[in-house]
């Protein structure tokens, strides 16, 4: 079984994330999308449970995709779920520096866990969760950038779908 892990904050999931998840789902037997419960890098807007729910709803047409909440080290979680490959998306050089460091650190912790990168599709290479949150907060339209369930939630939070 060729099982891969796609870890991230997914705060919230965007169509850029879904592009990577969909491409993985076509290439591997099973994809586990791991929602980082508590990132030291950034405070989440949505609870881990809500981020999980958004992902479950937006990947329900992909039978080989499972979503889980991940606590602690990604290398440990990968072992627990028996995944030997991490797949991450790369948007720009700015992603590269952080990802390069993470891949080396993870390799140190577990030399058997490989990290693979998929280049972001050009149409999503500008798209980030933080950008989406900023647009939504100030009343802009995000319905082309996130799955419907997330756009709906933003509308509840900030009053309208904007646009
Ligand atoms: P973000 O940086 O948007 O907060 P996450 O921490 O949730 O993203 O990222 C999870 C994974 O998805 C990372 O590998 C990240 O590089 C990737 N990713 C995020 N947005 C995109 C996108 N628009 N296209 C491709 N990959 C992406």
């Amino acid at each position: 079984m060729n099982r891969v892990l796609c870890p991230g904050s997914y705060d919230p999931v965007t169509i850029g994330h879904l592009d990577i998840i969909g491409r993985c789902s076509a290439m591997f037997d099973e994809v586990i999308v791991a929602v980082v419960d508590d990132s030291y890098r950034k405070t989440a807007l949505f609870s881990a449970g809500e981020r999980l729910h958004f992902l479950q709803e937006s990947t329900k047409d992909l039978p080989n995709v499972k979503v889980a909440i991940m606590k602690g080290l990604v290398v440990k979680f990968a072992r627990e779920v028996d995944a030997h490959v991490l797949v991450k998306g790369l948007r720009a050089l700015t992603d590269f520096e952080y990802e390069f460091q993470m891949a080396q650190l993870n390799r140190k912790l577990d030399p058997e866990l490989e990290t693979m990168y998929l280049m972001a599709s050009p149409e999503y290479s500008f798209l980030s969760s933080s950008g989406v949150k900023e647009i939504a907060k100030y009343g802009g339209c995000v319905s082309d950038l996130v799955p419907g369930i997330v756009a709906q939630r933003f509308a509840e939070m900030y009053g309208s779908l904007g646009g």
Side-chain angles (χ1 to χ4, degrees):
M1 163 80 81
N2 220 336
R3 182 182 288 131
V4 298
L5 193 62
C6 292
S9 315
Y10 301 105
D11 184 43
V13 58
T14 68
I15 55 170
H17 292 126
L18 293 176
D19 179 58
I20 297 287
I21 294 166
R23 287 159 63 192
C24 281
S25 144
M27 280 188 288
F28 299 100
D29 297 327
E30 194 170 287
V31 181
I32 300 182
V33 180
V35 177
V36 176
D37 184 17
D38 186 19
S39 166
Y40 80 94
R41 275 207 302 159
K42 40 201 176 189
T43 312
L45 176 64
F46 297 102
S47 71
E50 203 164 14
R51 285 178 277 145
L52 174 99
H53 177 63
F54 293 152
L55 274 159
Q56 279 172 334
E57 281 298 308
S58 45
T59 59
K60 64 182 175 201
D61 294 336
L62 300 171
N64 64 340
V65 173
K66 297 200 166 80
V67 189
I69 292 178
M70 177 177 85
K71 292 177 200 270
L73 288 173
V74 69
V75 293
K76 219 171 137 231
F77 187 77
R79 269 179 195 263
E80 278 165 24
V81 297
D82 198 27
H84 303 278
V85 179
L86 297 182
V87 180
K88 311 285 306 276
L90 274 187
R91 282 161 293 189
L93 275 181
T94 42
D95 275 348
F96 179 80
E97 195 166 340
Y98 172 77
E99 292 296 342
F100 186 67
Q101 192 181 41
M102 284 311 296
Q104 304 299 358
L105 286 172
N106 284 333
R107 182 188 295 276
K108 183 106 185 105
L109 294 175
D110 184 351
E112 284 173 22
L113 182 67
E114 201 57 75
T115 310
M116 282 179 51
Y117 292 93
L118 291 183
M119 288 295 167
S121 297
E123 61 271 38
Y124 307 130
S125 59
F126 63 92
L127 186 52
S128 68
S129 297
S130 48
V132 163
K133 283 183 282 192
E134 196 157 338
I135 295 170
K137 185 174 171 189
Y138 295 109
C141 180
V142 293
S143 54
D144 288 347
L145 308 176
V146 292
I149 186 168
V150 176
Q152 195 53 49
R153 183 75 181 92
F154 275 130
E156 286 162 22
M157 290 165 77
Y158 300 121
S160 85
L161 282 172

